[in-house]
Amino acid sequence: MIAACVAVAGCTSALTTTTATTTTVTTTTEVATTTTAALITTTAAPTTTTTEPLRLTIGEWEPIPAAPVARAYYESVWTGREMLVLGNGFGPDVTKATGAAYDPATRAWTAITPIPDARMNAASVWTGSQWLIWGGARTDMTSPNDGFAYDPSSDSWSTIPPAPIEGRLGAFTVWTGTELIVWGGSVVEPEEGSFNDGAAYNPTSKTWRVLADAPLGQKNAGVAVWTGDEMIVGGNGDATDGDPGWASYDPTTDSWTPIASPDDMDAGMVYFGAWTGTHIVFAPFEQETTRLWLYEPATDQWTRSAPIDAGGLSLAPMVWTGSDIVLYGTDPFPPMWVQVAYDPATDTWYDLPDGDHQRVGAIPTVIWDQNVIVWGGAHGASSNDYYDDGEVLILP
């Protein structure tokens, strides 16, 4: 549960919890109408106006300094001490292999050694000691099936050997604690199709293995989470021909299990999701989505969140802070800005305060003490002007 401070005058600096109220106003109007025959007095029926419950605003923004290079649509991980960023999406080619590290303790940026071969929309995970980058698209728009591992302690890159599957971008990706698992994804040109195969890479032995065949159709750019025992994937793809939309993969037995989804859920279009430790949380692709879906693997149960009067939830990147889901940002087409937080323990929505910019293509990254960095991004959906600064969302 979040302790919240209402964003109105008189709010003290100490964090307090305020309960919103609902006000009902009833108005009775008397209307007198005169005719030549008689005096008629008509009393209007009572009308009732109900205000929406007040939604609390929580958190505050603190600026972070400018980085050496402005970026958007980049790869990013949190190491436990630093935020690492790499690449530059549609930015200048000379910046697409470059990266930087931000240390919030010192508020300082440091350039890192460029990756030997620039990648965009690659598989990206932090292992605890290395940053693994696999697949993705090169600047010449080819998609290799190899990758690189970055060691911050030596500021150096080493190679990841070619995988026994085709190169791709937008793959479903998790780190299990011992393996990088990649599954699904698409070729560089989306109209040429997607994949429904995958492989697992062990960085200790530097070896790959092919995953068993999945019960899912071809998918890309969906949700993948690691529960501690299994990988659960779902999202984009053709939900025809009996495709269940969702499935779990157990790397110990190299086996898949289909997950049935509710009839009223469009499992074919999911872009962002998060794992809370007990539930997968996501919003299907609907511009007017007002509820989140939650799936609990332990009970195989689906539930829905309380509604919120905000559209475009499925377009907003989301992160789990340890107690709350933060949805902040937008997908560029169509631009629809979202800045809210959801507490699954109490089924409660909160507003977030306005940041300094609406950053398209910025990636929220959770850092220490449940705080969230939002850095870089483009000035607009079709803009080639990128920000080099950012902010930290400090949550109570």
Side-chain angles (χ1 to χ4, degrees), residues 72-379:
Y73 308 105
Y74 50 83
E75 309 296 342
S76 174
V77 292
W78 173 248
T79 71
R81 188 177 69 86
E82 296 176 314
M83 179 181 73
L84 303 178
V85 297
L86 177 72
N88 204 6
F90 306 104
D93 285 349
V94 295
T95 66
K96 291 181 179 180
T98 65
Y102 176 69
D103 185 344
T106 62
R107 291 175 51 79
W109 286 93
T110 305
I112 66 174
T113 298
I115 191 171
D117 186 17
R119 305 294 171 88
M120 180 177 67
N121 202 8
S124 167
V125 297
W126 174 250
T127 70
S129 60
Q130 291 183 311
W131 186 10
L132 305 184
I133 301 288
W134 179 83
R138 291 189 175 111
T139 55
D140 64 1
M141 301 310 291
T142 59
S143 186
N145 68 346
D146 60 3
F148 300 92
Y150 176 71
D151 183 347
S153 65
S154 60
D155 186 30
S156 62
W157 293 91
S158 57
T159 58
I160 294 175
I165 56 175
E166 293 182 53
R168 61 199 67 191
L169 60 157
F172 295 74
T173 307
V174 299
W175 171 250
T176 70
T178 58
E179 291 181 317
L180 160 68
I181 297 180
V182 292
W183 182 87
S186 67
V187 295
V188 174
E189 298 297 333
E191 64 271 12
E192 294 183 10
S194 302
F195 298 97
N196 68 340
D197 62 348
Y201 174 69
N202 185 319
T204 301
S205 63
K206 295 188 177 181
T207 57
W208 287 92
R209 64 180 180 85
V210 177
L211 305 187
D213 291 341
L216 301 172
Q218 297 174 343
K219 294 183 183 296
N220 68 85
V223 177
V225 301
W226 175 249
T227 69
D229 300 306
E230 58 187 358
M231 175 181 72
I232 297 180
V233 299
N236 284 0
D238 186 357
T240 62
D241 299 326
D243 182 355
W246 294 81
S248 63
Y249 172 75
D250 184 341
T252 303
T253 60
D254 188 30
S255 60
W256 291 86
T257 303
I259 298 174
S261 55
D263 293 337
D264 59 341
M265 183 182 74
D266 180 3
M269 298 288 277
V270 179
Y271 289 100
F272 299 104
W275 172 248
T276 70
T278 58
H279 292 78
I280 299 173
V281 183
F282 66 94
F285 179 72
E286 298 170 294
Q287 290 187 25
E288 301 305 320
T289 295
T290 60
R291 294 175 182 262
L292 299 174
W293 279 101
L294 295 88
Y295 174 68
E296 185 177 29
T299 61
D300 191 30
Q301 295 296 312
W302 294 89
T303 55
R304 300 213 73 177
S305 72
I308 182 175
D309 56 343
L313 296 182
S314 62
L315 302 177
M318 66 169 64
V319 293
W320 171 245
T321 69
S323 60
D324 303 286
I325 297 287
V326 170
L327 298 96
Y328 191 84
T330 184
D331 193 70
F333 304 105
M336 186 177 295
W337 193 256
V338 177
Q339 54 183 64
V340 293
Y342 173 70
D343 181 351
T346 60
D347 194 24
T348 304
W349 286 98
Y350 299 93
D351 283 326
L352 299 176
D354 291 336
D356 60 351
H357 303 294
Q358 292 190 356
R359 303 167 180 269
V360 178
I363 303 171
T365 302
V366 176
I367 58 173
W368 82 107
D369 292 338
Q370 303 182 14
N371 300 322
V372 179
I373 284 182
V374 179
W375 175 84
H379 289 212

